[in-house]
Amino acid sequence: GGVKSRVADVVETTAENAKEYYDAGIQKVNNLIEELKQEREKILGARHTLKPDEEKELSAMIRKLIDEYAADETGQADFALEANGGKVVDTRCQEYTDEPRQNVVKFLGIPIVHMSKQPDILIKHGRMPGQCFPFKGDHGSVVIRLAVPVVPTEFVLEHLSKSISIVGHINSAPNNFTVYALKDKHDKEGIVLGRYYYDAENGPALQRFKPQIANVPLVEYIEVQVTSNWGNPNYTCLYRFRVHGDMQTVAPTAA
C-alpha cells in the first residue's frame, strides 16, 4: 500500500506542479512584457509604442522561451524531481567555489545572484542564469536517488538556451556525459545505461536521451557523470536533469 500511495503522490504532484509552474511562468512573463512596454513608453513617448503585430511577435517569442523552460507541462512524471521525492545523495566532484568577478549579474536589468552551488538545484523547477550546480573542471558526477524505483525510458538534460545566457555563449555546458544505474549510493561500478553528447552549439536548451541498452533494469540510484564541457577551463554547470520511466506495478513472483 505504501508504494502505491507514494506512486500516486509522485504522479499527482508532477501534474499539479507542472500546471502551477507553467501558469506562474506565463503570468510573470506577461507582467514583465507590460513593465517593459511601460518603460519604453516613458522613455520614448506614446508614438513609439509597439504596433499590434510587433506585440504579437514579442509575446510569441517569450511564450516559446517559456515553453522551452517549462517543459514540465507535458505531465510526464519526473522521478528525479525533488518535489516528487527525488534526492541528490552524493557528489563525486569538487564544488566550484571561486566567486565570479562580478558578484551580481544583470539579466534584462534584473540583478541575478551568482551560481547556486547546491547540487540539489539540478532536480528543482526553474531555470534562470546562475541557477545551477557548478563543479570544478570538466569532470564530475552526481548521484540521484529517484522518488521510486523505475525502469528509465528517457533522460533529459537541460542547460541555458543561448538566447537567454548572459554572456551569449554557454561554454560551461556539459558536452559528453554517461548515465549509470547504481545498486546504492556507494556503488562505484554501476551499469552503463548510455553515453551521450549534449549539443550546446546547435541543439535546443532541453535535450532528450534514450537508454542505449536492450534490457533496462529497474533503477533507484542514477549517476550522471560528465566527462567534458564546451570549453570552460574553470567549471562545468549542471542546470537540470530529469528521469522519465515506467514503474513496475506488479512485483515478479519467484518461479
Side-chain angles (χ1 to χ4, degrees):
V3 170
K4 259 205 182 124
S5 69
R6 263 172 86 194
V7 164
D9 284 352
V10 167
V11 174
E12 234 165 76
T13 323
T14 299
E16 271 171 38
N17 278 359
K19 177 100 185 73
E20 257 173 58
Y21 175 60
Y22 188 67
D23 291 348
I26 289 284
Q27 196 42 58
K28 259 194 208 145
V29 162
N30 284 338
N31 296 345
L32 190 61
I33 292 174
E34 275 315 305
E35 275 173 42
L36 287 172
K37 276 199 258 179
Q38 284 162 16
E39 282 302 308
R40 194 187 150 107
E41 277 182 43
K42 250 190 262 169
I43 298 161
L44 300 174
R47 65 203 170 80
H48 284 288
T49 52
L50 291 177
K51 297 187 183 82
D53 56 336
E54 286 176 329
E55 243 177 68
K56 234 191 237 162
E57 205 179 314
L58 178 67
S59 299
M61 186 180 83
I62 292 185
R63 281 210 168 72
K64 181 178 172 291
L65 273 176
I66 282 271
D67 278 338
E68 218 171 273
Y69 288 99
D72 300 271
E73 93 280 3
T74 56
Q76 261 185 302
D78 172 9
F79 294 97
L81 187 70
E82 192 179 60
N84 288 341
K87 190 170 173 21
V88 170
V89 290
D90 195 13
T91 52
R92 299 173 178 180
C93 48
Q94 224 183 329
E95 290 181 33
Y96 176 75
T97 49
D98 306 343
E99 288 299 342
R101 274 196 206 96
Q102 70 283 40
N103 278 345
V104 175
V105 177
K106 286 196 165 185
F107 170 67
L108 284 184
I110 305 154
I112 292 164
V113 189
H114 40 254
M115 294 175 287
S116 143
K117 306 200 182 48
Q118 296 305 314
D120 56 4
I121 194 85
L122 82 139
I123 53 168
K124 289 180 195 275
H125 284 308
R127 203 58 51 246
M128 285 299 277
Q131 281 185 317
C132 66
F133 169 57
F135 59 82
K136 267 192 175 166
D138 60 0
H139 274 61
S141 72
V142 174
V143 179
I144 299 163
R145 191 192 71 221
L146 302 179
V148 291
V150 295
V151 174
T153 53
E154 183 177 61
F155 309 113
V156 179
L157 183 65
E158 193 176 351
H159 198 76
L160 282 184
S161 132
K162 272 207 285 204
S163 53
I164 209 172
S165 178
I166 289 156
V167 282
H169 61 75
I170 31 194
N171 67 3
S172 66
N175 185 327
N176 293 97
F177 70 101
T178 305
V179 178
Y180 294 89
L182 306 183
K183 288 196 290 288
D184 53 50
K185 72 173 189 175
H186 306 293
D187 184 0
K188 295 283 190 272
E189 297 287 308
I191 298 164
V192 173
L193 297 176
R195 298 183 192 280
Y196 308 105
Y197 164 76
Y198 179 87
D199 186 354
E201 203 49 59
N202 306 304
L206 183 147
Q207 295 176 29
R208 301 167 184 275
F209 306 91
K210 300 278 183 213
Q212 294 168 342
I213 60 172
N215 300 310
V216 182
L218 188 69
V219 182
E220 186 175 13
Y221 291 87
I222 288 263
E223 179 183 6
V224 188
Q225 184 187 69
V226 177
T227 49
S228 66
N229 71 17
W230 279 83
N232 189 309
N234 302 315
Y235 61 89
T236 304
C237 273
L238 284 173
Y239 269 89
R240 176 85 188 267
F241 185 77
R242 311 167 204 232
V243 177
H244 300 309
D246 295 326
M247 291 175 292
Q248 298 284 58
T249 40
V250 184
T253 49

